[in-house]
């Protein structure tokens, strides 16, 4: 097959805009414009202090909810025994059972809130989703960013790349004929 020359354009297979998923002040731009990065490299840091405080508050809520569960369990055991001795009305045991269920639900809600707070704290580091090259940063130190503030920068994967080019119909037919002839020649030669 003879060599053919075409004018084309290379395009990244993967390209993504990095957007802050939490709101805060940019405290650090870790990587300079145009730098190659690896997947997981930190590109920007958003001030984590308020998110750390929220994690601490949610941990305290979980501890409080765990204590309430223990208290409700003790109360339920005590009321079960008192009902067995016929020292209280059945309705008091029903209330103790309901309180135990409510305290379990409160604990589940507190754990979910803690998980969300920890997730938000982890989002204060904006990381590269894949190996590539960083574009120009569209924010500066001290900028207030958030999910609605737009892209902070772009990461473009350098390998592999797509190459696109245009062919006229006669050029396409010629290339296909040459490819077909080349394949037939290979088959005939036994390679």
């Amino acid at each position: 097959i003879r060599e053919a020359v075409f004018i084309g354009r290379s395009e990244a297979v993967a390209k993504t805009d990095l957007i802050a998923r939490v709101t805060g002040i940019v405290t650090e731009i870790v990587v300079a414009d145009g730098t190659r990065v690896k997947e997981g490299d930190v590109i920007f840091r958003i001030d984590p202090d308020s998110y750390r405080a929220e994690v601490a508050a949610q941990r305290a809520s979980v501890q409080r909810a765990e204590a309430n569960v223990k208290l409700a369990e003790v109360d339920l055991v005590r009321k079960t025994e008192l009902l067995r001795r016929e020292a209280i009305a059945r309705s008091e045991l029903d209330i103790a059972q309901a309180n135990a269920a409510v305290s379990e639900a409160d604990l589940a809600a507190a754990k979910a809130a803690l998980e969300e707070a920890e997730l938000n704290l982890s989002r204060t580091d904006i990381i590269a989703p894949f190996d590539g090259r960083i574009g120009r940063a569209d924010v500066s130190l001290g900028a207030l960013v958030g999910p609605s503030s737009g892209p902070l920068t772009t990461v473009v994967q350098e390998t592999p790349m797509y190459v696109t080019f245009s062919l006229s119909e006669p050029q396409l037919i010629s290339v296909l004929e040459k490819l077909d002839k080349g394949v037939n020649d290979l088959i005939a030669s036994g390679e």
Side-chain angles (χ1 to χ4, degrees):
I1 299 177
R2 285 191 18 202
E3 196 174 294
V5 177
F6 300 98
I7 297 174
R9 183 180 71 204
S10 62
E11 297 175 359
V13 171
K15 173 184 173 184
T16 191
D17 292 332
L18 295 182
I19 297 173
R21 295 178 70 187
V22 295
T23 300
I25 303 295
V26 175
T27 58
E28 189 176 359
I29 300 174
V30 180
V31 178
D33 296 351
T35 303
R36 284 192 175 128
V37 294
K38 298 274 185 207
E39 179 180 346
D41 286 354
V42 176
I43 311 300
F44 296 97
R45 284 206 167 91
I46 295 174
D47 184 11
D49 291 343
S50 63
Y51 295 100
R52 283 189 189 121
E54 181 62 22
V55 167
Q58 294 304 330
R59 281 193 180 125
S61 293
V62 167
Q63 290 172 339
R64 182 177 41 248
E66 287 171 341
N68 286 336
V69 165
K70 288 178 184 175
L71 180 61
E73 288 171 350
V74 167
D75 189 46
L76 183 58
V77 168
R78 183 179 301 123
K79 297 237 170 123
T80 301
E81 179 59 28
L82 289 172
L83 181 63
R84 190 184 65 74
R85 294 181 191 172
E86 297 180 0
I88 61 168
R90 172 74 189 165
S91 62
E92 287 191 44
L93 178 62
D94 293 341
I95 291 170
Q97 289 172 331
N99 286 340
V102 167
S103 65
E104 287 287 342
D106 288 345
L107 177 58
K111 286 180 177 179
L114 174 59
E115 188 175 324
E116 181 180 10
E118 289 171 338
L119 183 61
N120 285 338
L121 176 59
S122 75
R123 290 176 174 164
T124 60
D125 282 346
I126 300 170
I127 61 171
F130 47 77
D131 294 355
R133 188 174 295 274
I134 294 296
R136 187 177 73 79
D138 291 329
V139 297
S140 56
L141 285 176
L144 177 64
V145 296
S148 62
S149 61
L152 306 178
T153 191
T154 302
V155 180
V156 177
Q157 188 178 34
E158 294 183 307
T159 57
M161 297 286 275
Y162 291 125
V163 176
T164 58
F165 54 93
S166 302
L167 294 176
S168 66
E169 190 173 339
Q171 287 174 316
L172 177 61
I173 291 170
S174 173
V175 167
L176 291 175
E177 286 173 348
K178 289 176 184 176
L179 285 174
D180 190 41
K181 182 180 181 321
V183 168
N184 287 336
D185 289 348
L186 284 175
I187 291 171
S189 68
E191 291 181 24

